[in-house]
Amino acid sequence: QSVLTQPPSVSGAPGQRVTISCTGSSSNLGAPYDVHWYQQLPGAAPKLLISGNMNRPSGVPDRFSGSKSGTSASLANTGLQPEDEADYYCQSYDSGLRTWVFGGGTKLTVL
Amino acid sequence: EVKLVESGGDLVKPGGSLRVACAASGFTINTEWIAWVRQAPGKGLEWVGRIKSQRDGGTTAFAAPVNGRFTISRDDSKNTLYLQMSSLRTEDTAIYYCTIMRGPGANDYGLTWGQGTLVTVSS
């Protein structure tokens, strides 16, 4: 059982918009600690996608965006590409556990 | 280019010990906070522990499931970090990643990740 809750899967056709939610609590996202997002392509290591709720590292396509409000956060992809098919994880800090916490991951399928 | 390369993963019996390494290139590893994150087969990511930079004291912290069994150390001459695991359990089976921690205070995140090394605990 992950501290942050994500839907197990989402899907969409190429070019469509999809969002992935991440729900936490008052000891993490609501504290308020930042949320960060990672993309994990099949068989690869995680890669930072969004930091500090909404900041895209250099090289990340601008079709990816992040937002956060209260104890919830979202990752949006505004124009799905076949290469976006991957697992996505949210991450924050939890003041009770005093560790990083992750969501269980969401598998994005491009139809 | 900043790069991390893990190595040393192996098959170990329950109760055994293993040391995995995280070799850095393109930067000096003792100037960064480094975290270990693991991923059990087919499962999500789990924070294992971290070591602060030398400037910040080099102290370590661990997640509850591994506290007292795992340690982190550095060999500055080799620009390499180590995760020493002992009293291994089957539930420690995972790919172990090291990552550079970046960001303000507790709002930090994993900036650059290695490719991971597989540790299998089985009789």
Side-chain angles (χ1 to χ4, degrees):
Chain A
Q1 192 78 354
S2 301
V3 174
L4 304 178
T5 300
Q6 298 179 235
S9 63
V10 297
S11 63
Q16 279 192 331
R17 182 181 190 275
V18 294
T19 62
I20 298 173
S21 62
C22 175
T23 303
S25 68
S26 58
S27 60
N28 41 70
L29 300 187
Y33 292 109
D34 288 348
V35 67
H36 319 289
W37 292 90
Y38 303 92
Q39 177 192 59
Q40 188 175 34
L41 295 170
K47 170 194 163 188
L48 181 67
L49 197 65
I50 297 285
S51 67
N53 304 320
M54 61 174 62
N55 301 306
R56 276 190 314 275
S58 173
V60 173
D62 61 5
R63 62 180 180 274
F64 290 100
S65 63
S67 64
K68 175 176 167 281
S69 178
T71 58
S72 295
S74 288
L75 173 71
N77 182 323
T78 56
L80 277 180
Q81 300 295 313
E83 60 265 30
D84 297 337
E85 192 160 284
D87 293 325
Y88 293 83
Y89 294 90
C90 58
Q91 176 247 313
S92 185
Y93 177 84
D94 189 277
S95 58
L97 297 171
R98 301 180 71 179
T99 69
W100 283 1
V101 289
F102 290 93
T106 299
K107 183 175 182 59
L108 170 60
T109 300
V110 181
L111 302 171
Chain B
E1 179 194 6
V2 170
K3 198 173 179 183
L4 296 169
V5 177
E6 300 92 336
S7 62
D10 206 347
L11 172 62
V12 187
K13 287 182 168 34
S17 298
L18 185 69
R19 188 181 77 167
V20 295
C22 170
S25 58
F27 72 103
T28 302
I29 202 165
N30 68 14
T31 64
E32 299 283 355
W33 291 39
I34 305 291
W36 286 94
V37 174
R38 68 184 180 183
Q39 185 171 34
K43 301 297 184 182
L45 302 172
E46 179 186 20
W47 185 85
V48 172
R50 63 98 176 112
I51 184 167
K52 292 183 179 180
S53 64
Q54 182 176 298
R55 181 187 69 176
D56 291 329
T59 54
T60 58
F62 296 92
V66 307
N67 197 30
R69 299 188 297 122
F70 289 13
T71 61
I72 299 172
S73 62
R74 269 192 304 251
D75 183 336
D76 292 343
S77 67
K78 295 182 178 179
N79 209 27
T80 297
L81 200 68
Y82 299 100
L83 178 67
Q84 177 71 49
M85 301 177 284
S86 60
S87 302
L88 282 162
R89 306 166 181 167
T90 55
E91 56 264 36
D92 295 319
T93 294
I95 297 173
Y96 285 74
Y97 298 100
C98 57
T99 179
I100 299 173
M101 298 171 67
R102 190 58 60 81
N107 285 317
D108 50 13
Y109 49 87
L111 177 64
T112 302
W113 297 65
Q115 87 290 348
T117 188
L118 177 61
V119 174
T120 304
V121 184
S122 175
S123 54

